[in-house]
Amino acid sequence: MQNPMQEVRPSMSPLALLAVGILAASSSSIFIRFALVEVPSLVIASYRLAIASLLLLPLALARYASDFTRLQARQWLQMISAGIFLGVHFGTWISSLEFTSVTSSVVLVQTTPIFVMLLSPLLLREKPSTATLLGLLLAIFGSLAIAISDTCSLSIDRACLLELTNPSTNAVKGDLLALSGAIAGAIYIMLGRAIRTSMRLIPYITSIYAVAALTLLSTTIYARLPLTGYSPRMYLWFLLLALFPQLLAHSIYNWALRYLPATSVSLSLLGEPVAAAILAYLILGESLPVMRWVGAVIVLSGIAAALYKPKKALPGNTKIDKMQG
């Protein structure tokens, strides 16, 4: 007889599926680079979120309509606010790929967890831990190394320092946009945390994606950017962005949380910048200077330090969070 306390094993390896999710997520920057040949970044972001929300909408309305009717005015406000910041996250991050390398952009936008922890004292009245502060310090040094690699190559002279302090320099502008995307993503997570407890996954992401899409579409229209008239291949990139990085990767990450510790999932996502850098090298021919790799390793180490939480031993030397396969 099966022990009722024994956790049910998944039919597929969580680690293997998590690797698929990381690969799907890392393809995002490649699809975006292909689309940037013809399409402005805000239009790309608009299509990505709009297609994803439209694909989810029939399922959300058919099976989870009651989740929407139970929401109170305050919860609607929280959800709309979270969706707006998600739109800002994608708008700024995708825009960063116009100006800086895939590696720099993806690594810098991955600093979101550190900003979440730093915002906790303001929004949740939680004091940042020593590990968080250490992670922030490492992320700052790593970001500086990335900025140097993007603007100075191998020589750091007066001209290089002037470029680093000039926010209008393309590489610096791209790096700042990626960091802005990380901050917006952190605010989105903080705002969405409360509403997520009262909504199931499908209605939640459908609503959030829809609000983000409307935010981006309204900004695109205000900027008078064309939404149509692009070649058929561009619309293919939009669809692939919605299907793989947005829907597939997101679903796998949430599924994996049922079988793996949250910290393990969070730390495994640090493989996304590495996979994105390799894809950019193989597909886009993007160079990988040593300084950029050094900066990336330092930033990712900072995120890992901030996320890491040592396991507490249980009575009787019971092993917890044991992963099979």
Side-chain angles (χ1 to χ4, degrees):
M1 180 179 297
Q2 184 178 4
N3 185 350
M5 296 300 291
Q6 185 177 358
E7 185 177 354
V8 178
R9 294 184 180 181
S11 57
M12 292 178 285
S13 167
L15 292 178
L17 272 184
L18 199 56
V20 173
I22 291 171
L23 185 61
S26 63
S27 68
S28 177
S29 53
I30 306 301
F31 294 146
I32 291 169
R33 274 290 177 85
F34 287 155
L36 281 171
V37 174
E38 291 185 26
V39 189
S41 53
L42 284 177
V43 177
I44 298 172
S46 299
Y47 270 104
R48 172 176 177 162
L49 273 299
I51 293 174
S53 57
L54 288 174
L55 290 174
L56 289 168
L57 187 59
L59 176 62
L61 293 178
R63 298 188 58 181
Y64 305 97
S66 60
D67 287 62
F68 298 101
T69 59
R70 287 198 299 263
L71 292 178
Q72 300 177 354
R74 181 180 178 183
Q75 292 173 313
W76 277 107
L77 181 60
Q78 289 174 328
M79 186 172 63
I80 292 171
S81 300
I84 290 173
F85 275 100
L86 181 62
V88 175
H89 162 76
F90 278 111
T92 51
W93 172 62
I94 291 177
S95 296
S96 75
L97 288 165
E98 292 187 40
F99 306 104
T100 193
S101 66
V102 168
T103 305
S104 300
S105 175
V106 177
V107 167
L108 293 176
V109 81
Q110 283 283 4
T111 57
T112 291
I114 293 179
F115 288 110
V116 168
M117 295 176 188
L118 289 176
L119 289 172
S120 293
L122 297 176
L123 300 179
L124 301 178
R125 300 182 184 278
E126 296 175 354
K127 185 179 179 180
S129 65
T130 303
T132 301
L133 297 177
L134 173 62
L136 174 64
L137 187 62
L138 287 172
I140 291 173
F141 279 114
S143 300
L144 181 59
I146 289 173
I148 291 174
S149 74
D150 287 337
T151 56
C152 304
S153 298
L154 296 177
S155 60
I156 303 178
D157 50 20
R158 184 173 179 274
C160 164
L161 295 177
L162 288 176
E163 285 192 52
L164 283 174
T165 55
N166 182 6
S168 63
T169 303
N170 276 351
V172 176
K173 184 189 297 183
D175 294 343
L176 290 176
L177 282 168
L179 283 173
S180 299
I183 296 172
I187 298 174
Y188 149 69
I189 291 173
M190 302 293 284
L191 290 172
R193 182 180 293 173
I195 187 65
R196 177 68 177 91
T197 59
S198 58
M199 291 185 76
R200 286 173 287 187
L201 177 63
I202 296 299
Y204 172 72
I205 62 175
T206 303
S207 305
I208 293 293
Y209 291 174
V211 173
L214 290 173
T215 301
L216 290 163
L217 284 169
S218 60
T219 305
T220 299
I221 293 171
Y222 178 78
R224 297 182 178 181
L225 298 173
L227 288 168
T228 58
Y230 303 109
S231 64
R233 183 176 296 181
M234 297 301 109
Y235 295 99
L236 173 62
W237 301 136
F238 301 156
L239 179 61
L240 292 176
L241 277 168
L243 289 176
F244 288 98
Q246 198 67 41
L247 294 180
L248 178 61
H250 191 280
S251 300
I252 288 176
Y253 294 161
N254 282 277
W255 177 86
L257 286 171
R258 181 181 178 186
Y259 303 102
L260 300 175
T263 303
S264 298
V265 175
S266 299
L267 291 174
S268 69
L269 299 187
L270 300 183
E272 181 185 335
V274 178
I278 294 173
L279 288 177
Y281 174 76
L282 295 175
I283 298 173
L284 303 177
E286 190 172 283
S287 63
L288 296 174
V290 174
M291 182 67 77
R292 187 178 299 161
W293 272 112
V294 170
V297 170
I298 295 174
V299 170
L300 298 180
S301 299
I303 299 172
L307 289 175
Y308 177 73
K309 294 180 181 179
K311 296 177 182 179
K312 296 180 180 179
L314 296 179
N317 295 324
T318 303
K319 292 183 180 180
I320 59 175
D321 295 332
K322 183 178 181 180
M323 293 186 291
Q324 301 286 342

